[in-house]
Structure formats: structure tokens, C-alpha cells
Amino acid sequence: LIGSYGEDKKMPVYVVGGFVRDLLLGLENYDIDIVVEGNGLEFAKYASKQLGAKMVEHEKFLTASLFFKDGFRIDIATARTEYYEKPADLPQVDISTIKKDLYRRDFTINAMAIKLNTKEFGLLYDFFDSRKDLKEGLIRVLHKLSFVEDPTRIIRAVRFEQRFGFKIEEETLRILNETLNGGFLEKVSGQRIRQELEKILEEREPLNAIKRLAQLKILKHIFPKTYFTSVMEKKLENLFNNLRIIKELYKKINVFYSLLRILLEYYDIDTLKKVIKKYGIPKKFIDEIKATETRLPPLLNMIKYKIRFSDIYKVIGKPSAETTAHIMSYIDDEDSKEYFVEYLKRVFSTKLSISGNYLKEKMNVKNSVEIGKVMNELYCRKLDNPSINEEEELKKIL
Ligand code: CTP
């Protein structure tokens, strides 16, 4: 349909990028990127009317997105040449042809197009031997300045390499190192680096990509004070292995924060302050990481020796999902892990039916500090023994 709209508007229309790459690899991909030679916005308006889709325009970039009722989405762009006013800035945009549009992209494997117009429907445009690289499993830039123009591509190269089990091509690796040593990654905003790291965390094997970032010394340029040792690798392995169970318990976890809890452990406060500002992380991150650092050694022992739940509760209370991930990244034996998960389940399921008001009115405890203490004691007893009778137990406490 999109192709026939191209005919109607006399504009060449292509599907490009990741969709074409994955099609040739035989992989599923529902992210459809369309490029139009001519005015992409005008084309998008026409297509959205014909298809009854909602359209959101980004006029500055000459792009638009069409949203369909079933949640399906198509991005439409104008073929463009981008030029960069300063390295690491967002690009300025000029209207152009499909070849130039593809040339400005990150890697050859992402720089193919398939024509959609009825006449040439299905014709593959491969100007840069992309298919050969796809066959040989190579990540290759299209030109020498690719990484300088957009240093986040340094991280993307690793992500695609690890996702497909490819290799970064030799000359590309040389340019990557040169760009890295030129300090270009340091010029990129925290938000853009964060986005790329978050994309890595959505991959099936994020640890492989993180290991590769460390091996290529890219991680050093992102977090200069992080030392990627085998101990850290083990913690990250535990983190990723534990995500499923933590998600079951908490429903939601911020995996990026959880990763940083491990990568930034034992950083000094001043450096931490700079890092959280750069990456847009809330201030309480610092308090949480520091609190966990000091509590970890005793806590791990308590878990190992299966100390009563109430004593563990006095050290860690009801931890956030990220704190749980942090603690569990240190637990290597299954027995301890099981005990800690049991603790968490108990904390989640234990609720008191007696309230502070009951103490005030029926038991004549008036002081609110005192009420808090008594309630906490009652809660701890119920953690250790869920079948207690709260009224009876209360009498014992008082
Ligand atoms: N692109 C680029 N440089 C970047 C980001 C993106 O050249 N820094 C281009 C690539 O050609 C890519 C397209 O924009 O194919 C779309 O980007 P994105 O959706 O991020 O990547 P995909 O290739 O679709 O990868 P994924 O499968 O992870 O969605």
C-alpha cells in the first residue's frame, strides 16, 4: 500500500535500515522505517489519511510517525544528508537522495533499502556491499568520520556485534580506537550514552556486550573509575540471572540503575554526584548505594547463616527492587539465594491486622514513638512466625 501511495505522489519510497537487515537474516522485525525521496512529511500526511492512522510530525527533522489502532507504528523520513555543525551534536538536515541517505548511516549492514513503489517493488538497493558484510558477519562503518560524527556508534558497534555474533571489521576497529582515544565519547551527553546502554540491557545477552565494552576499553571512557574484574563480571552475571525472579517479586525493576549499582560501587561521593547529574539519576541513588555498601558484609553473613528474618529486617527492612538486585549479585550459593528470596516473600506477605489506633484506643498506649516501636516489634514477631495471634502477642510485648 505504502508503495502505491508513492506512485500516487510520484515519490520513490523505500523501507530501510534494521528491517531490511533482519529480513535478509531471516529475523522478525516490526520496526518499519520508511524513507521517501521528496517531501516525507507531505507523503506521511497523504498515507495517514488513506490509512486512517494518527500522525505525529517532527518538522525539524522532516520525519513523521504513523500510529495505527492495533499499536503498529511506521516511521517515515525524508531522504536526507545530515551534516554536523560540531562533532557529537545532533545533525542538521538537508533533503537528498536515497544513496546519500544510506551513506550517512552507522554501519553497512544497516544501510540497505528496498523499493516499495509498485513498479520496482521488492528491489534491493545495496550500494555499499552490505550483503557481503552480512554474509561474512562484519560490522563496518561507511566512512572514516562515522564515529566522530556520532560517537554513540562506538557502543552500537558492540551491540550489533554481540547480538548477531559478528566481528567489528579490522579497519573499523582501528577507526573506533582512534575516535575513542581522541576523547569523542566523552563529548556525548549522558542522556544519549544512557539510551545506548539501555538498549544493550534489552538485548538477549547483555553481559556479552558489557564484557566486550570492557575488553575494548570503551567502558573506561564511559566510567573511568570502574575496574572491570572477574569479581565484577560474576556480580553482573548474577544480576542478569536474577532479573526474572526479581521481576516476579517486584513487577518492575530499573535495570539501568541496577547495573550502575554494581559498576559504581565504592565510588567516592564527589564522583558519584557528577555521574548521577550526567545520567539524570535521582539523588537518592547515592544514599541507597552507600547504605547498601555498608550493610552488605553483615547482611551476607546473616543470610549465609540463616539468621532469623526479624534480624535481617532490622538491617535491610523491605528493600527496593534495585537494592535486592544489588544484594543478590553478591550471593553465589543457591542455598543462601533461596533463603533470601524466602525472606523477601515473607516481608511482602506479612501484614498486621492490628493498627496503631487499636493500640491507642484499646491498649491505652498514647505516645506515638512508643506506638511505632510496639508495632515494629509485633511485625518482627509475625515475620518469624506468621501464625501468631496478634492480640495475644501484643499483650506479651506490653
Ligand atoms: N542510525 C545511525 N546512527 C545512529 C543510530 C541509528 O545511522 N547513531 C541508523 C541506522 O541505519 C539504523 C536506523 O538509523 O538502522 C534506525 O536506528 P535504530 O532503530 O536505533 O536501529 P535498528 O538498526 O533498527 O536496530 P534495532 O534492531 O536495535 O532496533
Side-chain angles (χ1 to χ4, degrees), residues 40-41 58-64 76-78 80 93-95:
L41 285 181
H58 318 280
E59 219 173 319
K60 195 171 153 230
F61 296 106
L62 302 172
T63 63
I76 299 178
T78 306
R80 62 201 194 187
V93 176
D94 257 354
I95 294 189

Side-chain angles (χ1 to χ4, degrees), residues 190-202:
Q191 198 206 345
R192 295 196 66 216
I193 300 265
R194 175 174 173 166
Q195 272 171 5
E196 286 303 329
L197 293 177
E198 285 179 331
K199 282 189 187 171
I200 282 186
L201 295 175
E202 284 165 21

Side-chain angles (χ1 to χ4, degrees), residues 158-221:
V158 168
R159 177 159 63 91
F160 290 122
E161 185 195 58
Q162 295 304 312
R163 181 197 294 176
F164 299 122
F166 284 10
K167 272 273 157 292
I168 298 173
E169 178 271 335
E170 209 175 303
E171 174 67 5
T172 298
L173 191 59
R174 195 189 62 72
I175 303 169
L176 184 151
N177 278 320
E178 213 173 79
T179 314
L180 204 55
N181 295 330
F184 287 93
L185 200 54
E186 284 80 349
K187 294 192 173 126
V188 179
S189 73
Q191 198 206 345
R192 295 196 66 216
I193 300 265
R194 175 174 173 166
Q195 272 171 5
E196 286 303 329
L197 293 177
E198 285 179 331
K199 282 189 187 171
I200 282 186
L201 295 175
E202 284 165 21
E203 295 286 326
R204 266 200 326 170
E205 299 283 352
L207 184 59
N208 289 345
I210 295 168
K211 266 174 15 195
R212 184 76 166 137
L213 287 178
Q215 187 201 16
L216 294 175
K217 310 229 162 38
I218 299 168
L219 201 63
K220 262 272 167 266
H221 285 263

Side-chain angles (χ1 to χ4, degrees), residues 104-107 141-151 153 175:
R104 73 180 169 87
R105 287 168 187 266
D106 50 2
F107 308 114
V141 284
L142 290 137
H143 56 87
K144 284 198 167 59
L145 286 177
S146 186
F147 290 125
V148 171
E149 285 176 354
D150 184 352
R153 288 174 176 168
I175 303 169

